[in-house]
Amino acid sequence: GEKAIEILKKVITLDPTNTTASLNLGEAYFVAGRYDELVAAFLNVTSKEGKRYLALAYEKKMMLGEANQSWRDVLALTKEQKETNEANEHIRQNTITLMSPEFQRAKAAASIKINIKAYRLLLITEQTRIPPLMKNIIILGSWISTMR
């Protein structure tokens, strides 16, 4: 859990080339549901195991286009049939989901929800005496936080 994550981070700080610790940290992030941190830590990973964790995290975040790219990276790095089958199946399922009308509606609804939150924040800041530059910073910060 959290203790393992802290220990692994310390190990990596002491030895940044320790690929075993890095992969274990990715697995710990995944198990803990800390997908944003996994993605940030693995953006430049080059191993097929790291690309696999990155793909799985992208799927959990519903970033299916990015997930498919990571699965394609796994395909380029593997010669094992089991891994090839797994990657191809994930790409197939993600592509079906990306093309589905339900996913497109959910994506559009999420965008509308974000815009509504930003608009509500704008209304709140307009009703108070906040300097214009500060209003823009508050609105931008709120909008960015909803994108995570």
Side-chain angles (χ1 to χ4, degrees):
E2 296 302 316
K3 184 73 172 165
I5 289 172
E6 294 310 313
I7 291 169
L8 288 165
K9 285 168 121 176
K10 287 178 185 173
V11 168
I12 294 166
T13 300
L14 296 173
D15 182 8
T17 62
N18 188 330
T19 56
T20 301
S22 295
L23 287 173
N24 287 339
L25 179 60
E27 181 177 5
Y29 279 147
F30 188 81
V31 170
R34 293 169 61 172
Y35 310 120
D36 290 333
E37 290 167 273
L38 190 157
V39 167
F42 277 43
L43 275 178
N44 296 315
V45 72
T46 57
S47 70
K48 71 178 173 186
E49 295 86 1
K51 293 290 187 182
R52 182 177 179 277
Y53 277 119
L54 187 58
L56 292 169
Y58 278 136
E59 286 176 349
K60 291 291 187 179
K61 293 171 55 71
M62 294 307 292
M63 298 173 69
L64 302 180
E66 292 85 347
N68 279 355
Q69 182 55 55
S70 292
W71 285 118
R72 284 186 201 95
D73 293 342
V74 169
L75 286 171
L77 295 168
T78 191
K79 292 182 168 114
E80 295 183 32
Q81 189 62 45
K82 182 179 176 186
E83 292 173 346
T84 298
N85 290 345
E86 177 190 34
N88 281 327
E89 181 59 22
H90 278 269
I91 291 169
R92 187 180 76 74
Q93 289 293 332
N94 291 342
T95 302
I96 290 169
T97 302
L98 280 167
M99 294 172 57
S100 75
E102 294 81 11
F103 182 79
Q104 295 301 323
R105 281 194 295 274
K107 190 174 168 184
S111 176
I112 290 167
K113 186 176 177 183
I114 290 167
N115 290 335
I116 289 171
K117 283 184 179 181
Y119 181 71
R120 285 183 182 153
L121 186 62
L122 177 63
L123 290 177
I124 291 168
T125 58
E126 288 297 324
Q127 294 169 1
T128 59
R129 297 193 184 277
I130 299 174
L133 179 58
M134 185 56 77
K135 286 180 190 177
N136 291 341
I137 292 169
I138 291 169
I139 292 166
L140 181 60
S142 173
W143 181 76
I144 290 170
S145 70
T146 61
M147 296 300 289
R148 295 182 187 163

